[in-house]
């Protein structure tokens, strides 16, 4: 008998042009339509934005970071506040990653062992040891609706034998995560498929990870520096090995072209720090590609940053004004760029969902790319 999970997927429509899927993910803190982009609130805040602003833009789920919240303020502090939802005053769904990606970027290969990973904190250099069991304890404390299994994320490039050992360890760690996960009534644990850039290893990992009766599955270790053609090839060969009745999450992806391609390939959930990071550097996303608002050419541009955008920033302020704020190191300028970028990606996902519903996602992609790749 299948386990009843606190998070489940509802399929609505399959695009006849592409096979992309329109759906809904139900969680203890509400429902979100898919394909969906999840704004990243690393330290229990989407940088520069209030929860109300993020919600008003249309986000119904955000992502927070296990590693960062473990180190500061500490998961017990968050638990004492009643969990992340109350701590950060966010009414919608929350997903926490396992901390694996951050840990492996800090750890030396020799410190990755079967028991867990030894690494130095980026804050004070103190030695830390993270295990599958501890990752589950932290995420249970944080109280997110969706929590991620502790996995080993291979760097690009990786040797075949290393990638094989790594994916097999990720499978064993998933078993330990399942054993350690305590709050199964309110938190859904997702497994993560690894295997680097090798199709047979991705298939092997998908078969192993999806053999567990979990409410959802993710693809990790993509968009880590590999060329786009390899990314698309591995993505396209991995998704068919994932269940159709559960949400599919592509981790760490957030540029417009990758969101469109991911959706075409049947992905339901995406996340990335790109919109907030770009915003803090005075760069915005548009249908015509990136605009660096800090550039001199916008000094006397009295149009909105993106003339076709209806976000708060573009409705109320000119590019010249925002550039002035950026050059004067006024934080409001960074907030306006960040606001626009999150709004842009959330609206892009709305357009993608509409195109799927109308069986024209391939046409939408073609039209979008004509402007995106042919910038004036």
């Amino acid at each position: 008998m299948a386990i009843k999970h606190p998070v489940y997927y509802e399929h609505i429509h399959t695009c006849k042009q592409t096979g992309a899927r329109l759906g809904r993910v139900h969680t203890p803190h509400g429902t979100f339509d898919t394909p969906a982009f999840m704004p990243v609130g690393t330290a229990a805040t989407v940088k520069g934005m209030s929860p109300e602003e993020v919600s008003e833009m249309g986000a119904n789920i955000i992502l927070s970071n296990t590693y960062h919240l473990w180190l500061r303020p500490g998961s017990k502090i968050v638990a004492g506040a009643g969990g992340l939802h109350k701590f950060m005053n966010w009414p919608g769904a929350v997903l926490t990653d396992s901390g694996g990606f951050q840990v492996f970027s800090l750890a030396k290969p020799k410190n990755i062992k079967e028991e867990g990973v030894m690494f130095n904190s980026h804050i004070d250099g103190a030695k830390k040891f993270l295990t599958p069991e501890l990752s589950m304890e932290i995420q249970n404390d944080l109280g997110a609706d969706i929590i991620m299994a502790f996995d080993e994320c291979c760097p690009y490039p990786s040797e075949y034998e290393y990638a094989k050992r790594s994916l097999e360890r990720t499978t064993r760690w998933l078993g330990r995560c399942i054993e350690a996960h305590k709050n199964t009534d309110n938190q859904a644990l997702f497994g993560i498929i690894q295997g680097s850039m090798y199709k047979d290893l991705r298939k092997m990992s998908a078969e192993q990870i999806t053999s567990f009766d979990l409410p959802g599955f993710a693809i990790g270790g993509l968009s880590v520096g590999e060329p786009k053609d390899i990314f698309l090839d591995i993505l396209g060969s991995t998704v068919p090995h994932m269940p159709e009745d559960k949400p599919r999450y592509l981790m760490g992806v957030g540029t417009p072209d990758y969101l469109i391609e991911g959706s075409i390939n049947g992905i339901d959930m995406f996340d990335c720090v790109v919109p907030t990071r770009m915003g803090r550097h005075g760069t915005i996303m548009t249908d015509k590609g990136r605009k660096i608002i800090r550039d001199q050419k916008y000094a006397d541009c009295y149009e909105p940053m993106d003339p076709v955008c209806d976000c708060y920033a573009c409705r109320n302020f000119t590019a010249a004004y925002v550039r002035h704020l950026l050059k004067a190191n006024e934080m409001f300028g960074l907030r306006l760029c960040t606001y626009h970028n999150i709004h842009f990606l959330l609206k892009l996902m709305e357009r993608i969902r509409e195109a799927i519903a109308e069986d024209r996602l391939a046409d939408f992609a073609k039209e979008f790319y004509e402007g995106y790749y042919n910038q004036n």
Side-chain angles (χ1 to χ4, degrees), residues 52 80 151 220 255 265 354:
E52 291 79 12
D151 63 322
T255 58
N265 278 278
E354 183 179 303

Side-chain angles (χ1 to χ4, degrees), residues 22-23 34 45 48 74 111 116 125 179 216 222 276-277 281 287 298 303 310 345 357:
L22 186 68
T34 61
T45 178
N111 291 330
E179 287 294 317
L222 276 184
T276 51
R277 180 174 290 165
H281 288 85
D287 282 4
Y298 295 108
E303 293 183 342
D310 66 351
L345 289 187

Side-chain angles (χ1 to χ4, degrees), residues 104 108-118 129-130 132 150 152 169 173 176:
F104 290 108
K108 297 176 181 177
K110 64 182 177 65
N111 291 330
I112 301 172
K113 305 181 184 302
E114 188 66 26
E115 295 79 12
V117 184
M118 181 74 72
F129 189 63
L130 190 57
F150 191 61
E152 182 176 350
R169 178 180 286 146
W173 281 358
R176 289 167 57 184

